[in-house]
C-alpha cells in the first residue's frame, strides 16, 4: 500500500464508523429514556450478562431511525425494477427509510418495539440500515457489537431521563440523520459517584 492508501484506510474507518455509530446510539437513548418498560427490560438483561434484548434494541433503533436514509447504485446493465425499464448507467437509490416503514413487513411500523426482532430475525432484504450486497457496510457487525456493549454499560450504570419532554426531531447533518439537539439527557446527580464507579466496573 502507498502512504496515501495507508492514511486513507483508518481515515475511512473513522469517518464511516464513528459518527454513524454515535448517532445510532443517540437515537437508541432518545427512545429508551421515554419508554420505561423497554429501559427496565434492557437494564435487567444487562445486570444478568445477556445481550439478546440489547441486540433487538439496536436493531429496532436502526430500523426506525436509520442513520443513512438511502444507498446509491449505478446500474452496470439494464434492469427492470418495479415495472420500470432502466438503462445501464441509471442511478438508483434504494430507500432504507421506506423499506423499514412497510406495514406488511413491520406491523405498527412507527412504533418502537424491539420485541419484533426477538420474534423474527432481521430480514436480509427488509432490514437494511447497513445497505446490502457486495458494498454492504464493512463495519456492520462491529457497529452492532459496539451498540450492544454501550447500551448494556449505560443501562447497568445510569438512571437517565430526558432533558425535554418532546422527542428529538430528525435533522440532516451532511448525509446522516441525527437527533436535532444531540439527545440531551439528565443523570441523577445524587448517585453520580456511585454510578461512575459502576460504569468503570461494567466497562472493565
Ligand atoms: C450504526 C453504524 C453504521 C451504520 C448505520 C452504517 C451504514 C452504512 C451504510 C448504509 C453504508 C453503505 C452500504 C451500501 O452502499 O450498501 C456503509 C458503508 C460503509 N461503512 Fe458503515 N455504517 C455504520 C458503522 C460503520 C463502522 C463502525 C465502520 C468501520 C469501522 C463502517 C465502515 C464502512 C465502510 C468502510 C463502508 C463502505 C463499504 C464499501 O463501499 O464497500 N461503518 N455503512
Amino acid at each position: 500500500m502507498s502512504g496515501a492508501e495507508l492514511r486513507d484506510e483508518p481515515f475511512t474507518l473513522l469517518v464511516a464508523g464513528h459518527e454513524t455509530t454515535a448517532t445510532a446510539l443517540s437515537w437508541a437513548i432518545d427512545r429508551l429514556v421515554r419508554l420505561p418498560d423497554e429501559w427496565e427490560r434492557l437494564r435487567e438483561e444487562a445486570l444478568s450478562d445477556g445481550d439478546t434484548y440489547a441486540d433487538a434494541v439496536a436493531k429496532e433503533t436502526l430500523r426506525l431511525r436509520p442513520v443513512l436514509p438511502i444507498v446509491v447504485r449505478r446500474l452496470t446493465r439494464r434492469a427492470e425494477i418495479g415495472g420500470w425499464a432502466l438503462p445501464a448507467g441509471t442511478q438508483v437509490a434504494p430507500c432504507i427509510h421506506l423499506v423499514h416503514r412497510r406495514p406488511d413487513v413491520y406491523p405498527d411500523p412507527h412504533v418502537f418495539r424491539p420485541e419484533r426482532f426477538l420474534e423474527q430475525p432481521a430480514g436480509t432484504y427488509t432490514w437494511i440500515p447497513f445497505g446490502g450486497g457486495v458494498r454492504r457496510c464493512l463495519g456492520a457487525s462491529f457497529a452492532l457489537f459496539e451498540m450492544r456493549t454501550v447500551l448494556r454499560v449505560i443501562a447497568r450504570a445510569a438512571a437517565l431521563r430526558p432533558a425535554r419532554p418532546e422527542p428529538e426531531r430528525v435533522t440532516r447533518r451532511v448525509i446522516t440523520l441525527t437527533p436535532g439537539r444531540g439527545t440531551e439527557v439528565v443523570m441523577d446527580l445524587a448517585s453520580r459517584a456511585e454510578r461512575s464507579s459502576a460504569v468503570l466496573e461494567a466497562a472493565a
Side-chain angles (χ1 to χ4, degrees), residues 9-10 12-25 58 62 65-73 94 96 128-144 146-147 176:
E9 287 294 318
T12 303
L13 294 186
L14 186 68
V15 172
H18 173 72
E19 184 171 338
T20 44
T21 315
T23 301
L25 278 164
L62 288 166
R65 291 282 184 269
V67 178
L68 298 166
I70 56 169
V71 287
V72 185
R73 296 288 188 271
I96 299 171
I128 51 170
F130 297 107
V134 289
R135 303 314 294 255
R136 185 174 189 262
C137 174
L138 211 58
S141 299
F142 179 69
L144 283 173
E146 199 179 338
M147 286 183 74
T176 55

Side-chain angles (χ1 to χ4, degrees), residues 6 26 38 46 56 94 102 127 138 154 165 172 174 179:
L6 280 173
S26 302
E38 282 75 0
R102 276 178 53 171
W127 184 77
L138 211 58
I154 294 177
R172 190 165 68 85
V174 191

Side-chain angles (χ1 to χ4, degrees), residues 37-93:
D37 290 348
E38 282 75 0
W39 180 255
E40 195 45 40
R41 184 164 182 184
L42 178 68
R43 185 174 153 74
E44 271 171 27
E45 182 188 76
L47 289 169
S48 71
D49 269 359
D51 71 355
T52 313
Y53 194 66
D55 187 65
V57 168
K59 286 180 174 149
E60 179 68 340
T61 303
L62 288 166
R63 180 190 73 81
L64 205 56
R65 291 282 184 269
V67 178
L68 298 166
I70 56 169
V71 287
V72 185
R73 296 288 188 271
R74 182 176 294 124
L75 298 183
T76 54
R77 52 192 153 106
R78 85 178 280 287
E80 193 177 313
I81 302 174
W84 296 85
L86 304 173
T90 306
Q91 292 215 21
V92 292

Side-chain angles (χ1 to χ4, degrees), residues 90-111:
T90 306
Q91 292 215 21
V92 292
C95 184
I96 299 171
H97 174 91
L98 290 177
V99 171
H100 287 184
R101 303 257 173 165
R102 276 178 53 171
D104 56 330
V105 181
Y106 300 105
D108 294 326
H110 305 295
V111 176

